Amino acid sequence: MAKYGFLGLGIMGCPMAANLLKAGHELVVWNRTPDKCAPLVAQGAARAGTPAEVVAVCPVTFAMVSDPEASLELLFGTGGVLESIGEGKAYVDCSTVDPHTSIEVSPSITEQGGRFLEAPVSGSRKPAEDGTLLFLCAGDQSLLEEIRPALDAMGKTIHFLGEVGQGARMKLVINMIMGGMITAFAEGLVLADKAGIAADDLFAVLDGGVLANPLFRVKGPRMAAGDFAPAFPLKHEKKDLRLALQLGEELTLSLPTATAANAAFLRAMNAGCGDEDFSAVLKAIRG
Ligand code: NA7
């Protein structure tokens, strides 16, 4: 079994790290808010004081933090990854960021002799707990092969997409589609309600035809019940829509559906729903 580091123990990072432990790997963890290390330490992980301390004692370190700013701070901040990365060390960033961030991170690691894999994931809290995430990898393919046992412990599918940046681009495309889908679904729920159609009837009809999908099946009953406990925080989907629209702009592509979804998510953020599940976009639509 191998030894891994893990930085960022939020909704996604904590269960992903726990799955590395369950698979029998040795683990060293760090989180900005130190208390969040406690459940993993109780399961046998060691705890370090800074990202640099993790990298210093682990051949491979995973990161799973909020956004591009957090990713860059992990690397370039005081006590950051770059203070310890070098020959024989690898860094795997699973955070959802824009391609420019990955493209900036990669050479800062490799110029010091380290190796880098971009590995954002598709899937939220439950797949992270169940070890059924989809990894969207790009960069150092030989590193991917070396850490395949760790990825297998956390996910069910591993895609390799080519050069660094392609993992981030794929993730933004996927989450842009998801943002549009959940917004359309929320509009359907609100319209059905106002038209006197019971939510359960709507779900049964949707689920019996070509529109059946796991997102609607899982989220529908919770949205109808007003349960917005976060599996994927709304603020992160808002970030992903912003980054996807930015990518579209760079490629001179107009994305009207994503633009409308982004506006609905912005209203939900302004209504104080950022820390709720992304399906709370329903509240912004219902008004
Ligand atoms: P959470 O549950 O919001 O967790 C975010 C994590 O990122 C958490 O560990 C944070 O530490 C950490 N974070 C945020 N900002 C920083 C900075 N500046 N420096 C270091 N660490 C930071 O998000 P999820 O686990 O749901 O999502 C993680 C990623 O997967 C994200 O990119 C999603 O879009 C997909 P804290 O505990 O707040 O101190």
Side-chain angles (χ1 to χ4, degrees):
M1 287 297 150
K3 180 174 185 177
Y4 295 108
F6 211 106
L7 312 174
L9 304 170
I11 290 175
M12 298 296 289
C14 186
M16 288 170 72
N19 280 330
L20 290 175
L21 276 176
K22 273 182 217 148
H25 300 296
E26 206 180 323
L27 192 69
V28 183
V29 295
W30 174 87
N31 193 69
R32 181 181 61 175
T33 306
D35 293 355
K36 290 191 191 166
C37 296
L40 289 155
V41 170
Q43 294 169 60
R47 179 172 147 178
T50 61
E53 283 178 28
V54 174
V55 173
V57 296
C58 297
V60 179
T61 299
F62 290 90
M64 187 49 148
V65 292
S66 316
D67 51 25
E69 293 70 31
S71 252
L72 294 173
E73 198 174 330
L74 271 192
L75 226 75
F76 298 102
T78 308
V81 167
L82 286 187
E83 291 181 13
S84 301
I85 203 87
E87 290 290 336
K89 303 276 180 198
Y91 187 62
V92 183
D93 196 351
C94 300
S95 319
T96 299
V97 298
D98 59 299
H100 301 294
T101 300
S102 292
I103 290 166
E104 181 179 349
V105 165
S106 179
S108 66
I109 304 271
T110 54
E111 280 162 15
Q112 287 187 212
R115 297 161 76 198
F116 177 67
L117 188 72
E118 183 186 26
V121 301
S122 186
S124 59
R125 183 198 295 268
K126 183 79 166 58
E129 288 169 356
D130 296 346
T132 56
L133 294 167
L134 274 72
F135 279 95
L136 311 174
C137 302
D140 189 330
Q141 194 168 10
S142 64
L143 173 59
L144 186 163
E145 293 309 330
E146 286 169 37
I147 64 165
R148 193 174 275 278
L151 300 180
D152 283 340
M154 298 185 281
K156 66 172 179 187
T157 314
I158 301 165
H159 295 275
F160 182 74
L161 301 162
E163 286 180 8
V164 169
Q166 290 306 85
R169 291 186 182 98
M170 174 67 95
K171 177 66 201 271
L172 295 180
V173 169
I174 296 296
N175 276 23
M176 182 192 79
I177 295 171
M178 189 170 77
M181 278 177 71
I182 201 80
T183 306
F185 185 49
E187 286 186 356
L189 260 171
V190 173
L191 180 62
D193 184 47
K194 289 209 182 294
I197 294 169
D200 284 346
D201 289 339
L202 173 66
F203 300 152
V205 174
L206 276 174
D207 209 37
V210 292
L211 294 181
N213 71 73
L215 180 70
F216 293 176
R217 202 173 296 134
V218 168
K219 295 295 177 189
R222 291 180 197 167
M223 289 164 79
D227 174 2
F228 299 110
F232 177 42
L234 188 138
K235 63 186 174 192
H236 293 331
E237 177 58 31
K238 174 69 192 70
K239 166 208 45 156
D240 295 346
L241 283 166
R242 172 175 58 81
L243 296 177
L245 287 172
Q246 189 180 303
L247 180 61
E249 189 117 337
E250 287 165 15
L251 298 170
T252 65
L253 185 64
S254 163
L255 297 164
T257 304
T259 301
N262 186 57
F265 273 82
L266 186 57
R267 289 202 304 280
M269 286 287 289
N270 289 338
C273 303
D275 289 321
E276 295 186 79
D277 191 68
F278 77 114
S279 53
V281 70
L282 176 87
K283 293 188 191 179
I285 288 159
R286 196 169 45 205

